[in-house]
Amino acid sequence: MSPYWMLLLRPFTAPDLKKSEFELIHELCLYILSASQRTELIRATLSTLHAFLSWIPLGYIFESTLLETLVKFFPVPSYRNLTLQCLTEVAALNFGDYYNVQYVKMYNIFMVQLQTILPRTTNIPEAYAHGTSEEQAFIQNLALFFTSFCKFHIRVLETAQENISMLLMGLEYLINISYVDDTEVFKVCLDYWNSLVLELFDSDHNMDNPAVTANMMGLQVPLLPGMVDGLGAQLLQRRQLYAGIMSKLRMLMICRMAKPEEVLIVEDENGNIVRETMKDNDVLVQYKIMRETLIYLSHLDHEDTEKQMLKKLSKQLSGEDWTWNNLNTLCWAIGSISGSMMEDQENRFLVMVIRDLLNLCEITKGKDNKAVIASNIMYVVGQYPRFLRAHWKFLKTVVNKLFEFMHETHPGVQDMACDTFLKIVQKCKRKFVIVQVGENEPFVSELLSALVTTVADLEPHQIHTFYESVGHMIQAESDPHKRDEYLQRLMELPNLKWSEIIGQARQSVDFLKDQDVIRTVLNILQTNTSVASSLGTYFLTQISLIFLDMLNVYRMYSELISNSIAEGGPFASKTSYVKLLRSVKRETLKLIETFLDKAEDQPQIGKQFVPPMMDPVLGDYARNLPDARESEVLSLFATIINKYKAAMIDDVPRIFEAVFQCTLEMITRNFEDYPEHRLKFFSLLRAIATHCFPALILLSSQQLKLVMDSIIWAFRHTERNIAETGLNLLLEMLKNFQASEFCNQFYRTYFLTIEQEIFAVLTDTFHKPGFKLHVLVLQHLFCLVESGLLTEPLWDSATVPYQYPNNGTFVREYTIKLLSTSFPNMTAAEVTQFVNGLLESRNDVSTFKNHIRDFLVQSKEFSAQDNKDLYAEEAAVQRERERQRMLSIPGLIAPNEIQDEMLDA
């Protein structure tokens, strides 16, 4: 055959050939495959077919000799991969049951041939590791074939007894392929296993709801009582059919379980055990899918899951199967199924697991080995708070083991010990403040007595985590006297050091300028913040001790920073000395904000702490150079106003005077400088608009214009958080002004500007994430203009000679003109129809939103873009629906992620 024909047979991609033209190509391909002996030509023909198979009319595949021809080429090594790719394309087609007979025949012939090419006894992972690139590609293609075929046609093979052995053989091959050490191959297999297990679980889970099960099985007819019984038997039979495969799949998941996020200790490329420095997002996604799959598998057969895990653990203990990787994947798998078993079974299972892991830690020698075992013990116990709450002796043993690990300097062990301690305490805190059977005092008291020894080898950031954990324990104590005593004992070390520093500073203020002293002050403040975050209101006695001295240190460090920047210019703010001083200022603000935010709404707390801060904090912010102003001042006062609401109205003018003008000058020069100040400034404005609106009404018209200009500037911002904060603030302003006596005055000044600016960001394609809030603002404006509340005209009579009958008519015409300019490619009739639709649907936010979205998506500017942000609300509803489904399945959401109101019951 001439080279011309080979050129003709290059793989086509565009499915735009006429039927008659493809008929000729189809005939030509079949002719070449049946008559040619030329390897190159046959390969080119197979490539062409592969490109066509996904879209050509099905008759060309199933009502011709094509499938028989392809299957004949499969055993030939030079055509094997191309043929397999063609068969995979056919397997991925799903158009009902019409061609089931052909599919079954193709699969059975394929399986007979496969056993000759790749005998069932082959160690596929080993063959893949030592194979050529062609042989590796064959395994990859084989995974794609099996997953595609089973995904769409497994039910066909289940229905006839004579096909079941071939079906199970194919799944056995896929299990073996899943052990191949290749990430992409495993992803393909895992995706299918997850879908199969979910389908089997859903059928089992919905046995009490035959209609749902029937629908999943594709049965559309009404179910009669006899049919319901038959359906139940069918489901049971199906579950038994796959029992062997599911058991092997459990072992696969256990052996290949991906690393969870909580595990900080990993093996590097040199085989050393080190602390993980960067999270691998691909591994975390894989863990999530594997965890879900294993939980479904556990629900299908708890006994088999437990048996396989315990058997594998006993092999670790005996040394028969001991490797770091084997222990890791086993423990990650054990941790991943937390919450999926009944409590009695879980208790029995965990007693054996923790006992064996602790024994393994005792008998195993070597620093790296012990670090791996420690990591796994910490991960497993951290996943089972329900078990620990029910078994005090195990809980105490585990916590004391964590204290041991806190002295282990192997990289990552101490971090993980502190993180696990925090996680356990959060879920079991009541257990530590009551006197347990056989104990003389609560565990928290015992812990505080040995505190110095326990934290002796920890780094500062680890000590902060430890203190936060103990704060949670103390917070669970209901007796105020005991609580204060525990807090005093916990803070004894930091308070002694603080008193020493303040005492020295009173002798000579220069003492506070020493960098080591500054670091110590910072560390003490961070420790206080950690305890405040977990203790909340009960931290009052501690913060009262240090508060005024802390403000004096704040004032002094602020003066040092300002002097350094005044003398050294902007570059002085980058020096390590100034950065350290600013860290102390920020931590001071963070400590106060954390305490006030976590404390219960008690007015006397606000009265005690807010007035003394006015000059040292607010006055300092106003006086400082821009580069020396801390954005945390803004978030602190936003927190204070959100907490104490209308009680802060009298202080708002002072706050405005200190932060408004000077912050605006910093953030409105461009969209880049002072990013932290931007978001926190608008959060403060929103807090004022929400809780202290009367204070805004007292602003002069120039000041209010500055506020409105800054809001418009905010929602024009391309930084999502800033834009959304600006839009939320705008909505608060609109609602509050509508309900005030200044409604007409405000809207006459700002209605048209706001409408114009909102339409500008709505239609510019850069602000799609704000779509929901754009819609709410526009809906508010259109509802208001038709409500009759605006009794004064929105148009300027001096510049608009025509007198409109009402504001609604004026806004309608104004909007048509505005949008005609924005969308010059749209006709006047299209724009008019859109605006009329807005006014008609204004009272139904869902219809109003859909109307705007349809208009945008159909416009030239949006039609060629990814518009998923316009559907964010629907996506959020779907995510919540999925979360509720997951909550209904024990274990699918990890116990640590569930806010359990009955933790200490």
Side-chain angles (χ1 to χ4, degrees):
M1 186 164 286
S2 70
Y4 169 75
W5 285 110
M6 289 183 66
L7 184 64
L8 179 66
L9 286 170
R10 72 193 186 284
F12 292 100
T13 54
D16 54 359
L17 291 170
K18 293 177 185 173
K19 185 180 176 186
S20 57
E21 290 173 334
F22 181 72
E23 208 167 314
L24 290 172
I25 293 174
H26 181 255
E27 285 176 16
L28 177 61
C29 288
L30 284 178
Y31 172 72
I32 294 170
L33 293 177
S34 60
S36 177
Q37 299 297 314
R38 293 179 57 186
T39 304
E40 245 182 287
L41 185 57
I42 292 172
R43 287 178 64 85
T45 307
L46 289 168
S47 293
T48 301
L49 277 171
H50 179 244
F52 278 124
L53 282 167
S54 62
W55 60 267
I56 61 173
L58 297 180
Y60 287 112
I61 301 171
F62 297 104
E63 294 168 23
S64 71
T65 58
L66 180 60
L67 280 182
E68 291 171 28
T69 308
L70 284 173
V71 170
K72 284 176 189 169
F73 277 100
F74 178 53
V76 184
S78 44
Y79 310 133
R80 187 172 293 151
N81 276 323
L82 283 168
T83 305
L84 191 47
Q85 287 171 356
C86 291
L87 292 173
T88 301
E89 285 294 338
V90 175
L93 298 172
N94 182 30
F95 294 98
D97 301 334
Y98 195 73
Y99 293 109
N100 280 354
V101 173
Q102 288 89 331
Y103 272 117
V104 170
K105 185 179 177 184
M106 176 186 95
Y107 181 81
N108 283 329
I109 296 171
F110 174 85
M111 288 304 298
V112 170
Q113 292 177 337
L114 180 62
Q115 291 174 74
T116 308
I117 300 165
L118 190 70
R120 292 171 67 183
T121 53
T122 307
N123 184 329
I124 294 178
E126 200 174 298
Y128 185 90
H130 299 105
T132 63
S133 57
E134 273 286 305
E135 288 166 341
Q136 289 184 340
F138 174 66
I139 300 297
Q140 292 162 6
N141 289 328
L142 201 53
L144 288 167
F145 172 80
F146 278 126
T147 54
S148 298
F149 192 95
C150 292
K151 194 170 186 179
F152 297 112
H153 311 291
I154 196 167
R155 293 251 178 209
V156 185
L157 296 173
E158 288 175 13
T159 50
Q161 193 64 39
E162 62 271 18
N163 299 323
I164 285 176
S165 61
M166 287 297 188
L167 162 62
L168 296 177
M169 190 194 302
L171 293 175
E172 292 261 7
Y173 270 108
L174 192 58
I175 289 274
N176 292 333
I177 292 169
S178 302
Y179 280 99
V180 164
D181 188 14
D182 181 290
T183 305
E184 293 309 311
V185 172
F186 185 67
K187 277 182 186 173
V188 169
C189 299
L190 178 60
D191 183 53
Y192 173 67
W193 292 128
N194 179 259
S195 64
L196 175 64
V197 171
L198 173 58
E199 186 193 333
L200 291 171
F201 170 79
D202 276 346
S203 300
D204 194 61
H205 196 55
N206 292 308
M207 261 185 157
D208 295 336
N209 191 341
V212 174
T213 307
N215 186 46
M216 287 167 52
M217 295 176 73
L219 303 174
Q220 305 298 327
V221 294
L223 292 174
L224 300 171
M227 293 171 69
V228 171
D229 294 340
L231 191 59
Q234 196 177 335
L235 287 172
L236 196 58
Q237 197 176 359
R238 191 164 190 247
R239 184 171 163 180
Q240 289 167 347
L241 169 66
Y242 290 112
I245 291 295
M246 293 299 106
S247 184
K248 289 179 180 177
L249 186 54
R250 284 183 196 98
M251 184 50 71
L252 169 70
M253 292 296 129
I254 292 166
C255 290
R256 295 212 59 172
M257 181 57 72
K259 186 178 77 64
E261 191 171 9
E262 298 93 327
V263 176
L264 305 177
I265 296 160
V266 294
E267 185 178 351
D268 68 9
E269 63 272 14
N270 300 317
N272 299 317
I273 295 299
V274 296
R275 190 194 191 290
E276 184 179 49
T277 53
M278 193 181 298
K279 296 290 179 192
D280 186 332
N281 286 330
D282 286 346
V283 171
L284 294 180
V285 169
Q286 188 174 308
Y287 170 75
K288 183 174 175 288
I289 299 169
M290 294 186 76
R291 179 182 174 279
E292 183 181 288
T293 307
L294 191 53
I295 283 170
Y296 291 138
L297 285 165
S298 177
H299 280 295
L300 287 170
D301 191 336
H302 290 298
E303 269 68 34
D304 186 60
T305 307
E306 179 185 341
K307 184 176 143 194
Q308 294 213 45
M309 288 178 170
L310 290 175
K311 186 178 178 184
K312 197 163 174 58
L313 183 56
S314 71
K315 288 183 178 179
Q316 297 296 307
L317 212 55
S318 68
E320 179 187 339
D321 201 20
W322 161 259
T323 67
W324 291 342
N325 184 61
N326 286 346
L327 182 66
N328 285 341
T329 55
L330 170 62
C331 290
W332 299 341
I334 290 170
S336 73
I337 62 167
S338 171
S340 64
M341 296 179 179
M342 296 294 285
E343 192 166 355
D344 287 350
Q345 185 180 9
E346 182 178 280
N347 289 346
R348 189 180 67 247
F349 175 60
L350 256 291
V351 164
M352 291 186 275
V353 167
I354 295 174
R355 183 196 61 206
D356 284 357
L357 286 174
L358 290 172
N359 286 342
L360 188 62
C361 195
E362 292 301 320
I363 64 173
T364 306
K365 308 297 179 194
K367 209 169 180 59
D368 278 355
N369 291 336
K370 283 190 176 292
V372 171
I373 299 167
S375 162
N376 284 306
I377 290 173
M378 290 187 283
Y379 174 67
V380 170
V381 297
Q383 300 308 303
Y384 286 90
R386 181 173 68 177
F387 170 79
L388 294 176
R389 284 198 299 273
H391 297 81
W392 166 250
K393 286 188 176 175
F394 264 100
L395 174 56
K396 185 179 180 183
T397 303
V398 162
V399 170
N400 283 327
K401 199 70 185 174
L402 291 177
F403 292 169
E404 276 182 41
F405 293 152
M406 287 177 192
H407 299 289
E408 174 54 69
T409 54
H410 201 290
V413 173
Q414 290 170 304
D415 278 322
M416 205 167 165
C418 293
D419 291 348
T420 306
F421 181 51
L422 175 59
K423 186 186 288 187
I424 288 173
V425 170
Q426 285 171 330
K427 294 294 183 180
C428 308
K429 51 191 173 187
R430 277 286 300 152
K431 302 298 171 188
F432 298 106
V433 294
I434 56 178
V435 181
Q436 299 287 347
V437 177
E439 305 286 349
N440 298 320
E441 59 180 347
F443 185 84
V444 64
S445 182
E446 189 184 316
L447 178 156
L448 290 168
S449 299
L451 182 64
V452 179
T453 312
T454 307
V455 302
D457 295 321
L458 296 178
E459 296 292 321
H461 73 278
Q462 294 161 346
I463 292 174
H464 301 152
T465 304
F466 188 92
Y467 268 68
E468 181 186 346
S469 306
V470 183
H472 280 293
M473 287 185 189
I474 297 170
Q475 191 263 340
E477 174 56 69
S478 54
D479 182 332
H481 298 297
K482 284 185 182 176
R483 198 166 51 227
D484 287 347
E485 181 215 325
Y486 293 151
L487 177 58
Q488 182 267 323
R489 288 170 66 189
L490 175 65
M491 301 306 294
E492 191 174 350
L493 279 174
N495 284 348
L496 277 172
K497 196 67 188 168
W498 177 261
S499 300
E500 185 186 313
I501 290 170
I502 296 301
Q504 294 267 27
R506 289 197 177 112
Q507 304 294 320
S508 168
V509 78
D510 288 344
F511 178 74
L512 284 169
K513 297 177 184 177
D514 181 84
Q515 291 211 25
D516 288 335
V517 173
I518 299 170
R519 285 192 188 90
T520 305
V521 169
L522 177 61
N523 189 28
I524 292 169
L525 292 174
Q526 288 170 332
T527 305
N528 275 272
T529 304
S530 296
V531 179
S533 70
S534 55
L535 206 50
T537 311
Y538 307 134
F539 190 69
L540 177 61
T541 54
Q542 168 63 19
I543 198 170
S544 300
L545 275 177
I546 63 171
F547 184 68
L548 294 177
D549 286 333
M550 188 168 68
L551 288 182
N552 288 330
V553 172
Y554 182 95
R555 183 188 281 116
M556 180 195 160
Y557 282 180
S558 188
E559 288 169 7
L560 284 174
I561 292 165
S562 294
N563 294 340
S564 297
I565 293 175
E567 292 167 14
F571 292 107
S573 64
K574 304 288 190 291
T575 62
S576 60
Y577 183 63
V578 170
K579 281 181 177 178
L580 194 56
L581 291 171
R582 292 191 72 172
S583 294
V584 172
K585 282 185 71 181
R586 288 189 186 116
E587 196 59 41
T588 304
L589 295 167
K590 184 182 174 186
L591 170 55
I592 299 167
E593 183 179 342
T594 301
F595 169 65
L596 293 177
D597 183 43
K598 298 280 185 180
E600 290 169 11
D601 187 5
Q602 297 178 0
Q604 77 273 15
I605 292 180
K607 286 173 187 165
Q608 179 181 344
F609 290 98
V610 175
M613 286 193 292
M614 283 301 183
D615 185 67
V617 176
L618 268 185
D620 170 74
Y621 184 93
R623 291 188 293 270
N624 258 330
L625 297 164
D627 282 348
R629 290 187 186 124
E630 308 302 340
S631 64
E632 286 77 8
V633 172
L634 304 172
S635 59
L636 169 59
F637 279 89
T639 297
I640 290 169
I641 291 170
N642 282 325
K643 195 77 180 177
Y644 300 108
K645 302 180 173 63
M648 293 297 299
I649 283 179
D650 294 341
D651 296 299
V652 169
R654 177 95 185 265
I655 296 169
F656 245 86
E657 185 186 340
V659 306
F660 189 72
Q661 188 75 42
C662 65
T663 308
L664 268 184
E665 287 170 5
M666 290 165 62
I667 66 176
T668 51
R669 288 178 192 155
N670 56 50
F671 281 139
E672 287 80 39
D673 294 345
Y674 308 106
E676 292 296 315
H677 291 73
R678 294 168 190 276
L679 185 57
K680 291 171 182 175
F681 174 72
F682 292 110
S683 296
L684 173 60
L685 276 186
R686 187 182 178 192
I688 293 170
T690 305
H691 302 298
C692 303
F693 182 72
L696 287 180
I697 291 178
L698 298 176
L699 295 175
S700 68
S701 57
Q702 288 82 5
Q703 285 178 313
L704 183 59
K705 185 177 186 311
L706 269 178
V707 171
M708 294 308 296
D709 286 349
S710 69
I711 291 171
I712 290 168
W713 183 91
F715 68 68
R716 279 180 185 167
H717 208 289
T718 50
E719 174 62 43
R720 181 173 184 160
N721 289 344
I722 295 172
E724 285 190 1
T725 305
L727 289 164
N728 279 310
L729 169 55
L730 175 61
L731 278 166
E732 294 289 347
M733 296 284 282
L734 294 178
K735 288 170 188 171
N736 286 327
F737 268 109
Q738 181 181 329
S740 77
E741 59 192 292
F742 300 98
C743 178
N744 276 289
Q745 190 180 333
F746 174 81
Y747 280 100
R748 183 160 188 185
T749 308
Y750 295 108
F751 186 102
L752 298 182
T753 304
I754 292 168
E755 185 191 356
Q756 183 178 340
E757 293 290 349
I758 289 292
F759 268 120
V761 291
L762 177 71
T763 58
D764 68 2
T765 74
F766 299 118
H767 293 84
K768 291 179 193 175
F771 174 71
K772 173 189 172 184
L773 295 169
H774 298 151
V775 167
L776 291 176
V777 172
L778 289 175
Q779 187 205 18
H780 175 91
L781 295 178
F782 282 110
C783 284
L784 175 67
V785 84
E786 294 287 357
S787 68
L789 288 172
L790 297 180
T791 54
E792 295 179 18
L794 291 174
W795 64 92
D796 184 353
S797 302
T799 56
V800 181
Y802 176 69
Q803 290 298 305
Y804 290 92
N806 53 52
N807 281 322
T809 307
F810 166 70
V811 168
R812 179 181 172 278
E813 289 203 15
Y814 173 83
T815 308
I816 289 170
K817 285 177 188 171
L818 179 68
L819 292 175
S820 296
T821 310
S822 299
F823 295 96
N825 58 309
M826 288 193 160
T827 65
E830 286 174 321
V831 173
T832 303
Q833 184 184 2
F834 170 62
V835 174
N836 288 340
L838 288 178
L839 291 163
E840 287 163 12
S841 63
R842 67 186 184 278
N843 292 318
D844 181 353
V845 69
S846 179
T847 309
F848 188 80
K849 177 182 70 180
N850 290 336
H851 184 65
I852 294 177
R853 185 163 55 200
D854 291 346
F855 174 77
L856 292 176
V857 171
Q858 288 162 19
S859 69
K860 185 179 176 184
E861 288 79 1
F862 282 76
S863 58
Q865 295 194 357
D866 177 5
N867 293 311
K868 69 174 184 295
D869 284 325
L870 303 183
Y871 298 87
E873 267 188 287
E874 288 79 359
V877 169
Q878 182 58 38
R879 282 195 300 274
E880 179 54 29
R881 197 177 293 131
E882 173 62 10
R883 179 172 169 80
Q884 291 306 317
R885 183 193 75 83
M886 291 171 75
L887 279 168
S888 71
I889 300 167
L892 210 51
I893 292 182
N896 286 316
E897 295 172 27
I898 298 174
Q899 292 298 317
D900 190 350
E901 299 300 324
M902 303 301 290
L903 282 182
D904 301 311

